[in-house]
Amino acid sequence: MNVNEQITTFLKSNLLDKYLIGQTTASETEEVEHYVNTYPEVKKVYEKLQDKLELSAQINAVKAPKNALDNILNALEEETPVVQIQPNKPKRKWFSLAIAASVVALIFAGSSAYLFVQNSNLSNENQVIVDEIFDLRSDIAKNNSRLTDILEQFKQLNNPETEKYVLKGNRSAKDLKTVAYINPKEKKSMIDVVSLPQLPDDQVYQIWADIQGKMVSLGILTEADRKLQEIPYTEDALGLSISVEPKGGSLERSSDTPVAEISLKLND
């Protein structure tokens, strides 16, 4: 189990909650203090839970009614003389004790319910914090991956071996413009879709490589692809062309007159 998995398992164990309310054993206390002092993520969760617990205790502190204790004592004082004067009526004594016991039971039940709710809330908040931490880590990993891809693309663009080819549309697609970047030494090809005229829903733009008169598909172009992206590199390609094909693309170029084409000079 790696460190991240260990931290996740620990945070989900609710040991932090038990530690904050003093319910951990000696070994559990040692484990909690080890994680808090060793891992900044755990310490951050611990401090946040501690702050929330203190704030919650201050906000939800409930004082007993001002006259509750006086009322109980007065009730007991009122009943006690009766028991002493008439010892043959024990029922009233037990009735008074039952009242006092009921009040104590209600106070205890209320305190237990309050602590249970607070513990449940802390557990839920703890899980939310854990999820937020791992969502943040996931976003950082995705951003780092995208940054790596962008740096690699700029590296290819600035490579002196990379050739740039601009494909512009003819009269059938005069607003079409794409830019191809090809590096025969590293066998890399990229394309930047600058603009594509709108097509009916049952048609698509498809890019092709001319290899000794045979047209090889390099994929379908869409408005969603308006960013620099890799396309298959084709050895000894003589040219590139873009044609309009049925939705889903074609295995063979259906038109001898593409909407855009350009010759490559990689072998000069």
Side-chain angles (χ1 to χ4, degrees):
M1 183 182 295
N2 59 38
V3 174
N4 288 340
E5 292 174 342
Q6 291 178 359
I7 293 175
T8 301
T9 301
F10 171 77
L11 290 177
K12 290 183 177 180
S13 69
N14 291 330
L15 282 178
L16 277 179
D17 297 345
K18 293 175 63 178
Y19 181 82
L20 284 169
I21 61 175
Q23 296 296 317
T24 50
T25 63
S27 61
E28 288 175 340
T29 298
E30 183 177 356
E31 181 182 359
V32 170
E33 291 176 351
H34 166 72
Y35 273 86
V36 170
N37 294 329
T38 304
Y39 303 104
E41 300 98 323
V42 177
K43 184 176 182 181
K44 181 179 179 181
V45 174
Y46 168 75
E47 292 175 346
K48 188 170 183 179
L49 288 176
Q50 190 177 41
D51 292 340
K52 287 187 176 181
L53 182 60
E54 292 176 356
L55 180 60
S56 178
Q58 293 173 5
I59 293 175
N60 294 291
V62 178
K63 294 183 178 179
K66 183 176 181 180
N67 299 322
L69 182 58
D70 292 338
N71 291 337
I72 293 172
L73 294 176
N74 290 334
L76 292 175
E77 289 176 357
E78 291 174 1
E79 297 299 331
T80 302
V82 176
V83 175
Q84 293 174 352
I85 296 172
Q86 302 180 28
N88 294 326
K89 296 183 178 181
K91 291 184 179 180
R92 295 181 63 84
K93 179 180 180 180
W94 287 108
F95 181 73
S96 299
L97 293 176
I99 292 176
S102 298
V103 172
V104 173
L106 287 173
I107 295 174
F108 178 77
S111 300
S112 300
Y114 171 77
L115 289 175
F116 175 78
V117 171
Q118 289 301 110
N119 187 51
S120 298
N121 290 338
L122 283 174
S123 297
N124 293 334
E125 291 172 358
N126 188 12
Q127 185 59 47
V128 170
I129 294 171
V130 171
D131 293 340
E132 289 176 351
I133 289 173
F134 281 91
D135 287 344
L136 180 60
R137 285 186 173 181
S138 178
D139 291 340
I140 292 174
K142 290 178 182 178
N143 289 335
N144 287 340
S145 177
R146 291 178 59 187
L147 180 60
T148 300
D149 292 340
I150 292 173
L151 291 176
E152 180 62 25
Q153 290 174 350
F154 275 108
K155 179 181 177 182
Q156 290 294 330
L157 293 180
N158 293 326
N159 192 318
E161 299 292 336
T162 299
E163 298 288 343
K164 176 181 176 180
Y165 299 92
V166 179
L167 285 82
K168 293 184 178 180
N170 56 22
R171 293 181 180 179
S172 301
K174 60 181 180 178
D175 294 328
L176 184 150
K177 183 178 180 181
T178 62
V179 182
Y181 300 91
I182 302 176
N183 187 323
K185 184 175 181 180
E186 296 189 7
K187 301 186 183 303
K188 293 278 188 179
S189 296
M190 295 184 293
I191 191 166
D192 181 14
V193 178
V194 179
S195 61
L196 291 175
Q198 186 69 35
L199 285 176
D201 292 340
D202 60 347
Q203 292 181 331
V204 294
Y205 291 104
Q206 192 167 349
I207 185 169
W208 307 82
D210 182 358
I211 302 178
Q212 297 181 352
K214 181 179 179 180
M215 309 309 296
V216 177
S217 175
L218 301 181
I220 295 173
L221 302 178
T222 68
E223 285 289 340
D225 296 328
R226 294 183 63 178
K227 60 181 180 180
L228 195 63
Q229 60 180 324
E230 285 197 27
I231 58 174
Y233 175 80
T234 51
E235 192 77 36
D236 300 326
L238 301 177
L240 297 174
S241 62
I242 299 174
S243 64
V244 177
E245 304 293 343
K247 185 177 181 179
S250 302
L251 297 178
E252 297 181 358
R253 198 177 74 181
S254 60
S255 174
D256 291 334
T257 308
V259 295
E261 58 183 339
I262 194 170
S263 297
L264 305 181
K265 302 178 181 180
L266 302 178
N267 299 321
D268 287 358

